[in-house]
Amino acid sequence: MQGGSISASTLGTGTVSVTANANVTANNSTGNGIRAEGGTGNVSVTVGSGATVKSTGASASNASIRLISTPIGNTTGGAITLTNNGTITTNSGTLSYFAVSAPQASSGTVLIQNNGTINGAIDLSGASSTTFNNTSSLSWHSS
């Protein structure tokens, strides 16, 4: 998908899974390239090899990829997994802008498996815990 964005969501215990095998670009000032939101079910996003996902990324709320898991009652949100085999960046390429965010309070665990390139800031402040596996040399660039 070129020039559009992907938004996938569910409430409750259902799972959300998004795979982007082509370029995804949000050109407006407030959108995400991919926005994936779940409740207590798992959320997973995969960026395929050769694909690029981008948006303005000027704030965490319009990061190129925004990941959300919303707790229900006294629970924690579902686990979030991002697997990047392509490129996640911002429209301008500004490294202080947000490539990835999971800022929702009480989100579940966040696992980022980066096999590609991430250019920009990452905000995982809402996660109950985080793991960042980077298997590609010099592939995460942030200011």
Side-chain angles (χ1 to χ4, degrees), residues 68-85:
I68 303 166
S69 66
T70 304
I72 298 170
N74 293 326
T75 65
T76 300
I80 298 170
T81 302
L82 170 62
T83 303
N84 178 40
N85 299 306

Side-chain angles (χ1 to χ4, degrees), residues 7-36:
S7 180
S9 64
T10 187
L11 298 175
T13 60
T15 61
V16 173
S17 179
V18 175
T19 300
N21 287 316
N23 296 340
V24 180
T25 303
N27 289 315
N28 62 3
S29 62
T30 60
N32 309 103
I34 296 175
R35 182 180 188 278

Side-chain angles (χ1 to χ4, degrees), residues 98-118:
F98 291 89
V100 178
S101 73
Q104 173 73 35
S106 299
S107 287
T109 61
V110 174
L111 167 64
I112 296 177
Q113 179 62 50
N114 185 38
N115 308 313
T117 300
I118 299 175

Side-chain angles (χ1 to χ4, degrees), residues 1-6 19-28 32-34 50-55 87 89-91:
M1 173 181 284
Q2 181 66 38
S5 61
I6 298 171
T19 300
N21 287 316
N23 296 340
V24 180
T25 303
N27 289 315
N28 62 3
N32 309 103
I34 296 175
T52 297
V53 177
K54 58 185 178 175
S55 73
T87 300
T89 189
T90 61
N91 291 341

